Amino acid sequence: MPSPRSAPGSLDDTYMLRHLSVLARPDDVSIVRQSCPGSFNSGRQVEMAAPAERCRSGAGGFSGCLRTVKPWWRLALLLFSVSSLPAASALVEGLYCGTEVCYDVLGVTREAAKVEIARAYRQLARRYHPDRFRPGEPGSEGETYESAHKKFLLIATAYETLKDEDTRRDYDYMLDHPEEYYQHYYTYYRRQLTPKVDVRIVILVTICAISIFQYYSWHSSYNEAINYLVTVPKYRIQAMEIAKQQGLLNRTKEKGKNRRSKDEIREQEEEVIRDIIKNKIDIKGGYQKPNLSDILLCQIVLFPYYLTNYVTWYIAWIYRFTICREEYGEEEKFYIIRRNMKMSQSQFDSLDENTRQSFLEKQLWIKENYEVYRKEQEEEMKVKMATDPRMKRYRRWMKNEGPGRLTFVDD
């Protein structure tokens, strides 16, 4: 059963008002004035601090009032939260010596020279090295093999940190600026993950490896092409005729111990034919004979030379044919024709001499003549495709079936 409430203006109300005025400090929040009808005398003003709080319901007292809660407890909670935040510390686990100071690990000051750091490291290393540690020795009381091993690793880490000038400078900066967490992590791991070998050496070794693989690949492709040409009757017969003319296949009668077997004679003939095909046939394109000047390493080394030659040639071309208005020679005409046809030098050289002479007769170095020639070639190709039986079958297949149509064959 609820206890009876005191009448307005009673001693209980006066005691409660004093209690609330003591708890609410004037510097916590602003003072809110609120009138409470039904408490004390009507129209009496009550000073209280804080956010809204519902008054207790009931007859008399503070019934029906919307009071404000005292904010002192919120301010205290805020202060407690701020005070509980971890203070910025330069000793971060995982960086350098972890939660230990590298200078303290070696027993030196921050102003110590490299000689003092090296001397302190050698003394501690002799004491805590796993191969030389002896439990119970003076200065290592209470140490075990496991603890000595961990301490030796810590000593080695401290020495590796302080012996290098750049790493020591980064470590001193971390001690002086403990609040820059992310900068310390970035600096530490960037130095740890940076390759120790000079980048120029890595690039040179990589280029050499690529060049060796490139030359080996070209040489294998060239040998495959030669092996194929040896089996082609057309080139084989021509090579045998050249060998007979040179007297390389004239079989002399051999007697006695110097007499060779048929297999040995056949192998020698194959080698002769192979050498003739190598020397007489100029293979172009991807199966051409490998040349050292074409590999990547030589191209990079000779790049300044090639660039100088090109600039010199281009300036001479502008001066001769643009400024002085000289007529094109045969070499210049072939160059313009090749450029109009968008062919490489090896592709153009693979054309027979009659075809290249026909280009000169048609004056294809002139842009208008080349356009007419190109249209004629396109028309001839269209006529050839229209009359070619294979192209007819292909068009018929594309029209009736095509690659994207499903067909069902009745058994």
Side-chain angles (χ1 to χ4, degrees):
M1 185 171 180
S3 59
R5 313 233 2 136
S6 303
S10 63
L11 182 61
D12 294 339
D13 289 340
T14 305
Y15 173 77
M16 185 175 295
L17 178 61
R18 291 178 180 177
H19 180 67
L20 292 175
S21 63
V22 171
L23 292 178
R25 295 183 301 173
D27 57 346
D28 288 343
V29 289
S30 60
I31 303 300
V32 180
R33 293 184 176 271
Q34 181 175 3
S35 96
C36 297
S39 66
F40 309 111
N41 300 325
S42 75
R44 183 175 179 178
Q45 301 295 324
V46 179
E47 293 184 352
M48 296 192 62
E53 179 187 67
R54 293 187 180 275
C55 298
R56 295 179 180 177
S57 61
F62 299 136
S63 60
C65 295
L66 185 63
R67 295 292 179 95
T68 52
V69 178
K70 301 175 292 298
W72 61 269
W73 64 273
R74 295 190 178 182
L75 182 60
L77 180 61
L78 179 61
L79 294 175
F80 176 75
S81 301
V82 173
S83 63
S84 63
L85 290 175
S89 176
L91 304 178
V92 182
E93 190 67 35
L95 299 183
Y96 303 103
C97 297
T99 57
E100 299 287 339
V101 181
C102 294
Y103 294 101
D104 296 342
V105 172
L106 296 180
V108 296
T109 62
R110 292 186 61 174
E111 292 78 16
K114 294 180 65 175
V115 179
E116 299 177 9
I117 294 173
R119 185 186 305 114
Y121 167 72
R122 286 193 294 268
Q123 292 176 359
L124 295 173
R126 283 194 296 266
R127 181 187 305 174
Y128 292 101
H129 194 278
D131 296 337
R132 305 186 63 177
F133 175 73
R134 296 294 181 271
E137 290 184 353
S140 59
E141 292 82 1
E143 295 285 350
T144 61
Y145 283 102
E146 183 178 355
S147 62
H149 179 68
K150 292 182 179 179
K151 197 163 187 178
F152 176 76
L153 294 179
L154 183 62
I155 293 169
T157 304
Y159 178 67
E160 291 292 332
T161 302
L162 300 181
K163 75 174 184 178
D164 184 69
E165 292 293 338
D166 297 334
T167 309
R168 183 178 180 180
R169 183 171 57 251
D170 295 339
Y171 183 70
D172 291 340
Y173 184 83
M174 187 187 75
L175 295 178
D176 296 335
H177 302 82
E179 69 280 358
E180 300 180 8
Y181 295 105
Y182 301 107
Q183 178 65 24
H184 302 328
Y185 274 103
Y186 170 74
T187 305
Y188 175 77
Y189 284 105
R190 182 194 63 179
R191 195 171 297 280
Q192 290 291 326
L193 299 177
T194 301
K196 305 301 181 182
V197 185
D198 192 354
V199 179
R200 293 171 293 183
I201 298 178
V202 176
I203 295 175
L204 179 61
V205 172
T206 304
I207 293 176
C208 292
I210 294 175
S211 302
I212 294 173
F213 175 78
Q214 188 179 24
Y215 184 81
Y216 176 77
S217 177
W218 285 352
H219 194 271
S220 300
S221 300
Y222 177 72
N223 288 333
E224 290 179 2
I226 295 299
N227 293 334
Y228 170 74
L229 293 176
V230 169
T231 60
V232 176
K234 173 183 176 181
Y235 301 108
R236 187 178 180 86
I237 293 173
Q238 293 179 2
M240 292 181 66
E241 291 178 355
I242 294 174
K244 290 179 180 179
Q245 293 175 2
Q246 297 178 358
L248 300 176
L249 294 181
N250 295 331
R251 299 181 180 180
T252 58
K253 295 182 179 181
E254 299 175 353
K255 298 180 180 179
K257 296 181 180 180
N258 296 329
R259 185 176 183 180
R260 296 176 298 172
S261 63
K262 293 183 178 179
D263 294 336
E264 293 177 351
I265 296 174
R266 189 179 299 109
E267 289 179 1
Q268 183 182 4
E269 291 178 355
E270 292 293 333
E271 289 295 331
V272 170
I273 294 174
R274 184 184 179 88
D275 292 338
I276 291 175
I277 290 177
K278 279 185 178 181
N279 297 327
K280 297 298 182 180
I281 296 181
D282 187 14
I283 303 176
K284 302 295 183 180
Y287 293 92
Q288 64 182 356
K289 188 175 182 179
N291 192 359
L292 288 176
S293 61
D294 294 334
I295 63 177
L296 179 61
L297 181 61
C298 294
Q299 290 289 323
I300 294 176
V301 173
L302 298 176
F303 176 75
Y305 172 75
Y306 292 147
L307 181 61
T308 304
N309 286 346
Y310 176 76
V311 172
T312 305
W313 171 85
Y314 186 76
I315 294 174
W317 182 282
I318 296 297
Y319 176 77
R320 291 176 56 192
F321 304 110
T322 304
I323 299 177
C324 298
R325 301 290 181 177
E326 294 184 9
E327 294 185 359
Y328 295 125
E330 183 175 338
E331 183 178 355
E332 288 78 12
K333 292 177 182 179
F334 279 137
Y335 169 75
I336 298 175
I337 293 172
R338 180 175 63 83
R339 189 179 61 181
N340 291 336
M341 293 183 174
K342 298 179 180 180
M343 299 174 64
S344 64
Q345 185 65 45
S346 60
Q347 291 175 339
F348 192 79
D349 292 341
S350 62
L351 300 175
D352 57 276
E353 187 64 26
N354 295 331
T355 303
R356 286 187 289 182
Q357 290 298 326
S358 66
F359 292 160
L360 293 177
E361 294 174 359
K362 296 178 182 179
Q363 298 182 356
L364 297 185
W365 67 88
I366 302 175
K367 192 67 175 178
E368 293 78 9
N369 296 343
Y370 173 73
E371 292 296 331
V372 173
Y373 171 78
R374 183 177 62 82
K375 292 180 180 179
E376 292 177 355
Q377 293 295 318
E378 291 178 355
E379 293 296 331
E380 291 181 3
M381 182 60 65
K382 290 180 181 179
V383 173
K384 183 177 180 181
M385 293 177 63
T387 57
D388 191 0
R390 291 178 298 178
M391 293 303 301
K392 288 183 179 180
R393 290 196 298 269
Y394 174 74
R395 289 195 300 270
R396 190 182 305 113
W397 175 77
M398 289 293 294
K399 180 179 179 181
N400 298 332
E401 299 177 3
R405 183 176 299 179
L406 293 176
T407 57
F408 298 91
V409 180
D410 297 333
D411 294 336

